[in-house]
């Protein structure tokens, strides 16, 4: 008899333990690479190439610490999918950012019955395309509550983006700023509208931070609160499947580059 589906809380608890194992093994693999004078590329570690020279294998994992088979990608929590995306960007440049939706834009969207998360998603895609610098694979969560999980606040966005060349940070900042309605359409630029910094490698903290209030109902946000570019979803899936099972099942289903979707 098949087991009963896990509750969202139980699924995230399970996924946290798996993520911890993956991160611990990544750190061990990174230490091996550093000892050889090589950059700590997580893709090198999870691909199994590193283990060919070692007696102990770090990946694939196949099973969790309790001996249970690891879940397939489709059964992972959204939290885990985001965590895998962040880990896949670890060896590159990962920029975390925060931007406030302009209050006038928020008011006009909510009055018109439009979903602010979808509107920001589409506006950000347009602004990045206009920059001529590519889509800058990224993810974001739109929030409407303070950290105390009780106080409603103005809509704001937390996200992370892949940056790889000089000028990418400035391009993303301008695009996010304009997508949030700051300084465009006759609107003023609000104080503390945008903040960004390079990812600090803080373990699970960033993923926990952007998911801290995603489950709270708010009439201003009627749909999904999380969006991720297709290529980032694909990269996160490939990373997880290499780490868990030692193969790239996602390669069979490439998706159109640069479009945005809400996580399933």
């Amino acid at each position: 008899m098949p087991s009963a589906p896990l509750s969202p809380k139980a699924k995230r608890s399970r996924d946290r333990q798996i993520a911890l194992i993956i991160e611990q093994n990544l750190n061990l693999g990174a230490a091996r690479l550093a000892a050889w004078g090589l950059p700590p590329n997580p893709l090198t570690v999870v691909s199994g190439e590193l283990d060919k020279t070692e007696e102990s294998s770090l990946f694939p994992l196949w099973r969790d610490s309790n001996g249970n088979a690891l879940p397939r990608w489709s059964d992972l929590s959204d939290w885990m999918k985001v965590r895998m995306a962040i880990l896949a960007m670890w060896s590159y440049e990962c920029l975390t950012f925060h931007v406030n939706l302009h209050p006038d834009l928020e008011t006009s969207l909510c009055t018109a019955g439009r979903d602010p998360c979808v509107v920001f998603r589409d506006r950000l895609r347009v602004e990045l395309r206009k920059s001529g610098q590519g889509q800058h694979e990224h993810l974001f969560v739109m929030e409407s509550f303070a950290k105390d999980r009780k106080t409603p606040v103005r809509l704001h966005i937390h996200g992370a983006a892949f940056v790889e060349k000089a000028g990418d940070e400035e391009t993303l900042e301008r695009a996010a700023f304009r997508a949030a309605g700051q300084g465009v359409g006759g609107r003023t630029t609000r104080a503390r509208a945008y903040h960004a910094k390079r990812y600090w490698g803080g373990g699970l903290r960033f993923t926990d931070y952007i998911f801290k209030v995603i489950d709270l109902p708010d009439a201003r946000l009627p749909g999904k609160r999380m969006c991720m570019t297709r290529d980032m979803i694909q990269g996160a899936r490939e990373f997880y499947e290499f780490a868990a099972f030692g193969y790239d099942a996602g390669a069979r289903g490439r998706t159109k580059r640069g479009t945005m979707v809400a996580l399933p």
Side-chain angles (χ1 to χ4, degrees):
M1 174 181 292
S3 58
L6 296 177
S7 68
K9 183 177 180 180
K11 184 176 287 191
R12 187 185 295 194
S13 177
R14 175 205 66 187
D15 290 352
R16 287 183 67 85
Q17 296 304 313
I18 297 171
L20 281 170
I21 297 171
I22 291 175
E23 291 194 34
Q24 289 168 359
N25 285 13
L26 279 176
N27 288 331
L28 290 173
R32 292 180 185 177
L33 290 172
W36 299 338
L38 299 173
N41 189 328
L43 300 180
T44 300
V45 178
V46 300
S47 68
E49 291 298 315
L50 182 65
D51 295 329
K52 292 178 181 179
T53 60
E54 299 289 333
E55 293 182 3
S56 59
S57 176
L58 298 174
F59 295 102
L61 299 177
W62 291 108
R63 297 186 178 278
D64 63 19
S65 57
N66 296 319
N68 298 316
L70 293 182
R72 298 293 174 178
W73 171 261
S74 59
D75 189 43
L76 297 179
S77 62
D78 286 357
W79 180 96
M80 184 66 163
K81 292 175 180 178
V82 170
R83 188 69 204 137
M84 293 301 100
I86 296 293
L87 285 178
M89 287 192 287
W90 175 34
S91 65
Y92 303 100
E93 295 292 347
C94 178
L95 184 75
T96 60
F97 64 91
H98 167 103
V99 61
N100 295 325
L101 199 68
H102 195 285
D104 293 348
L105 178 60
E106 175 187 332
T107 299
S108 66
L109 293 176
C110 292
T111 301
R114 300 178 66 189
D115 189 329
C117 187
V118 172
V119 171
F120 178 80
R121 176 199 69 185
D122 294 342
R123 288 169 64 103
L124 181 59
R125 181 174 56 198
V126 169
E127 292 296 335
L128 287 172
R129 186 185 301 125
K130 285 163 56 178
S131 74
Q133 301 298 314
Q135 283 295 311
H136 296 285
E137 305 307 331
H138 58 277
L139 60 89
F140 70 83
V141 169
M142 185 168 283
E143 292 185 346
S144 59
F145 280 86
K147 288 187 290 186
D148 63 9
R149 292 176 55 86
K150 298 177 182 178
T151 310
V153 296
R154 287 291 186 181
L155 297 180
H156 56 280
I157 298 98
H158 295 288
F162 172 67
V163 293
E164 56 183 333
K165 61 183 183 300
D168 279 355
E169 290 189 33
E170 292 76 12
T171 297
L172 182 66
E173 177 178 354
R174 286 193 299 272
F177 207 70
R178 292 176 62 84
Q182 299 285 349
V184 297
R187 304 182 189 92
T188 59
T189 299
R190 309 283 290 193
R192 301 173 61 189
Y194 181 87
H195 173 71
K197 64 180 178 180
R198 297 297 177 108
Y199 179 59
W200 63 95
L204 307 177
R205 287 180 296 171
F206 178 71
T207 316
D208 285 341
Y209 181 71
I210 65 174
F211 273 84
K212 61 186 178 296
V213 296
I214 199 171
D215 59 319
L216 299 179
D218 190 315
R220 292 173 295 174
L221 296 173
K224 290 279 189 177
R225 318 288 178 84
M226 159 68 67
C227 285
M228 186 187 297
T229 55
R230 288 187 184 274
D231 278 8
M232 184 171 280
I233 294 175
Q234 192 72 45
R237 177 180 176 178
E238 291 170 7
F239 182 85
Y240 174 73
E241 289 175 339
F242 266 129
F245 312 116
Y247 64 87
D248 174 12
R252 295 194 298 268
R254 297 293 181 184
T255 52
K256 183 178 179 182
R257 183 176 182 82
T259 55
M260 295 289 296
V261 296
L263 283 174

